[in-house]
Amino acid sequence: MPRLRFGLQIRLILGFAAVLALSMAAAAVCTGFAAHSEVSRIQVEQDRVRAGRIHAALADYYDNNGGWHGAQDFVNRTGFQSEREIVVLDADGNVVADNRPIRRRHDDRGHRALFNPGIPRGPLPPSEYFVPISSGDQQVGSVAIAAGRRGHPEYIFPDSHPDEPHDLEPPLTQFTERVTKTLILAGLVAGVVGILLVLLFSRRMLGSIGNLTSAARRLGGGDLSSRATVRGNDEVAELGHAFNNMADALENSERQRRTMVADVAHELRTPLANIQGHVEAMQDGLMQPNADNLSAVHQQTLHLNHLVSDLRLLAETEASELSLEMEPTSIEDVVSDAVASFRPRADAASVQLTTVIDDTLPVVEVDRYRIRQALGNLLDNAIRHTPSGGNVTVSAQRHDAGVRIEVADTGPGISPEDLPHVFDRLYRVDPSRDRSTGGSGLGLTITRQLVEAHGGAVWAESEVGSGSRFGFDLPARHPSAS
Ligand code: ADP
């Protein structure tokens, strides 16, 4: 079977990959967004709490020292510990402490100046960033606190209740909790998105399978004309084609079975009617049960017997129940044997029976008895159809690695319209004549079945007025034996 470009496997792989990628992307975007906003929120809160503590520590400093004397050292230390830029003004707005670095363009050494009080600072931060520091009821100064992030100050407003010691920094557990929650939510969203995508991808496929299932149900219910509608060229479509082929074969075999039953009934009726006619005539005293009349009845029973055993053999070969006893066989022996047994009939019919056998015939592995039977059917036909004074020639020759056996006669021949059908079951060229000469209409069908059971093939050639050639080719060994 040629590889399908967009087979089911590739579509499933692509579909699952797309669903997985989309779900992962959705989860990653949601989680990243949540983590980023949570980190910012925690940072802002941490900044405010820490700034609140610095603010409270400055108020304590003022209280403990009774003024801002030495505040620069305190601010340097505190600023160093907390990594903050701190500017403290007294009540009159004069700078009493400032640990800001000197910022120079293209120079990262500004960080070192952070702790160098001797170096003049830049302009003061805008007044709105200053938060008052109180001692008792009195305002004793103000402070501006900034985080020196990314080279420029970000001013922070201290927590509104800096004095409360239990004002703790927001715990990081909150972060993991929130991220976990978002991850679960993102997982759920991704799951729903995945389900929707799978539903979308599988809709067409399920439609085809549903169509196939209902066609199979109708077929199972006895509607042999039921067929699946096939769309596309994927594996499901392949399955649909295979189903339709199977349904064709089933319908065909059912039709053949019905024809066969009708044909067999017809074949049995003629001899049975003859026997019935003879027996009733004898019962009514219209016919004497003498030797001649009894012989006529006997002939009909023999014909019936022949017909029934042919039918049984045919049923066995068609059901592949025929067991073949394969053995290395000399075809020369088989041909000689068959010819010898038909010679009395040929002599009685004044038909010249000759044999031509190749010297270099290979030994073939066949069921000797069945091949003899297949050849016998051809010989029987040939002698039956050859008028007295005619010839029947049996020849055997090498063909590929196997053998070809042929029976040629000088009979009336078969018309081109009939020739393709002569191997069909119960087919007769001239029904009334063939029946009267004892033909069952099954001989050639049986020959074909027996030869095909050996892995061989039958053939026929004929010319009206000149004669016919029937034959079959056999492989050296049965193909399934290799
Ligand atoms: P039957 O047993 O009735 O002969 P077969 O299956 O052997 O049935 O043959 C099928 C038909 O082929 C027969 O009706 C017969 O007329 C025709 N036929 C077979 N062999 C020959 C032959 N050698 N020459 C002419 N007709 C033949």
Side-chain angles (χ1 to χ4, degrees):
M1 193 183 78
R3 200 88 199 108
L4 297 164
R5 262 178 68 217
F6 283 106
L8 195 58
Q9 195 183 32
I10 293 186
R11 282 189 11 220
L12 281 177
I13 291 172
L14 289 179
F16 279 124
V19 167
L20 206 66
L22 277 170
S23 311
M24 298 280 279
V29 167
C30 288
T31 315
F33 186 74
H36 183 259
S37 72
E38 194 57 17
V39 164
S40 310
R41 194 185 65 78
I42 289 176
Q43 201 165 38
V44 166
E45 242 173 80
Q46 273 182 350
D47 281 348
R48 290 191 57 206
V49 169
R50 284 178 192 170
R53 286 185 190 152
I54 293 170
H55 183 257
L58 283 169
D60 283 351
Y61 180 88
Y62 185 90
D63 286 345
N64 294 340
N65 290 284
W68 292 117
H69 181 70
Q72 181 65 51
D73 282 348
F74 178 74
V75 163
N76 282 348
R77 267 200 318 280
T78 311
F80 175 69
Q81 282 161 0
S82 60
E83 288 185 35
R84 292 290 175 265
E85 294 176 9
I86 303 167
V87 181
V88 182
L89 304 181
D90 63 13
D92 300 328
N94 301 316
V95 177
V96 290
D98 186 351
N99 75 336
R100 287 177 301 156
I102 293 165
R103 299 176 195 282
R104 290 187 207 143
R105 274 188 198 171
H106 315 298
D107 186 358
D108 62 356
R109 286 194 312 153
H111 185 72
R112 289 179 61 208
L114 182 66
F115 310 112
N116 188 344
I119 296 172
R121 318 288 150 166
L124 286 177
S127 58
E128 65 264 28
Y129 293 122
F130 280 92
V131 180
I133 303 170
S134 308
S135 174
D137 296 338
Q138 200 188 347
Q139 183 180 337
V140 293
S142 55
V143 64
I145 303 165
R149 292 190 193 111
R150 293 187 216 99
H152 59 85
E154 278 176 28
Y155 289 97
I156 303 158
F157 291 99
D159 197 291
S160 46
H161 306 289
D163 297 336
E164 292 174 19
H166 57 264
D167 216 353
L168 300 172
E169 291 181 12
L172 273 177
T173 47
Q174 270 185 17
F175 170 78
T176 45
E177 239 171 60
R178 287 196 189 197
V179 170
T180 309
K181 270 188 199 158
T182 319
L183 210 56
I184 291 171
L185 196 73
L188 288 175
V189 171
V192 172
V193 169
I195 289 170
L196 289 177
L197 284 174
V198 169
L199 281 178
L200 202 75
F201 281 134
S202 58
R203 238 181 68 186
R204 225 193 86 189
M205 199 177 83
L206 290 179
S208 307
I209 291 177
N211 168 278
L212 195 59
T213 310
S214 44
R217 285 216 179 98
R218 285 199 303 277
L219 192 78
D223 175 9
L224 295 183
S225 65
S226 162
R227 298 289 182 277
T229 318
V230 180
R231 275 187 229 103
N233 66 345
D234 58 7
E235 282 87 343
V236 182
E238 277 291 312
L239 186 63
H241 285 304
F243 172 83
N244 287 347
N245 289 343
M246 182 195 74
D248 284 347
L250 212 60
E251 198 177 17
N252 206 19
S253 100
E254 177 60 14
R255 197 179 306 122
Q256 276 184 7
R257 191 187 65 80
R258 288 201 185 134
T259 318
M260 167 88 171
V261 170
D263 288 351
V264 167
H266 182 260
E267 290 308 312
L268 293 175
R269 203 167 46 228
T270 314
L272 279 174
N274 286 344
I275 293 169
Q276 190 182 357
H278 275 79
V279 172
E280 283 174 2
M282 285 179 205
Q283 280 174 333
D284 295 347
L286 299 173
M287 193 184 267
Q288 292 304 309
N290 57 28
D292 280 352
N293 291 335
L294 286 175
S295 163
V297 173
H298 186 231
Q299 277 303 318
Q300 296 298 324
T301 58
L302 285 181
H303 179 57
L304 270 178
N305 218 345
H306 182 197
L307 194 65
V308 169
S309 56
D310 275 1
L311 280 170
R312 221 190 65 207
L313 179 61
L314 195 62
E316 275 177 8
T317 50
E318 284 186 341
S320 307
E321 280 171 1
L322 190 72
S323 63
L324 297 174
E325 285 174 24
M326 309 290 265
E327 53 182 340
T329 305
S330 154
I331 286 298
E332 188 174 353
D333 289 353
V334 175
V335 172
S336 310
D337 196 23
V339 168
S341 66
F342 276 89
R343 193 166 293 287
R345 267 186 58 195
D347 289 348
S350 305
V351 169
Q352 173 104 32
L353 187 55
T354 31
T355 323
V356 182
I357 296 179
D358 203 338
D359 290 343
T360 59
L361 275 187
V363 169
V364 288
E365 195 159 69
V366 292
D367 182 327
R368 162 195 300 268
Y369 171 71
R370 295 301 178 188
I371 294 303
R372 156 89 177 67
Q373 195 176 8
L375 175 58
N377 287 346
L378 299 188
L379 264 169
D380 178 58
N381 282 348
I383 293 171
R384 238 176 335 120
H385 289 93
T386 304
S388 70
N391 295 314
V392 170
T393 311
V394 185
S395 61
Q397 54 201 286
R398 182 182 272 273
H399 181 259
D400 293 336
V403 292
R404 164 167 288 188
I405 299 175
E406 184 184 302
V407 178
D409 64 53
T410 54
I414 303 166
S415 71
E417 300 85 63
D418 288 315
L419 194 61
H421 303 290
V422 289
F423 289 102
D424 292 351
R425 217 162 29 194
L426 295 169
Y427 187 83
R428 287 186 175 113
V429 173
D430 180 354
S432 55
R433 188 184 167 279
D434 289 326
R435 203 174 283 125
S436 67
T437 57
S440 65
L442 294 170
L444 288 179
T445 315
I446 290 172
T447 296
R448 191 189 66 193
Q449 297 279 6
L450 291 175
V451 169
E452 286 177 359
H454 282 82
V458 291
W459 48 266
E461 291 165 4
S462 190
E463 205 175 310
V464 177
S466 306
S468 313
R469 302 160 83 87
F470 280 83
F472 53 86
D473 303 332
L474 291 171
R477 288 170 67 88
H478 192 278
S480 69
S482 55

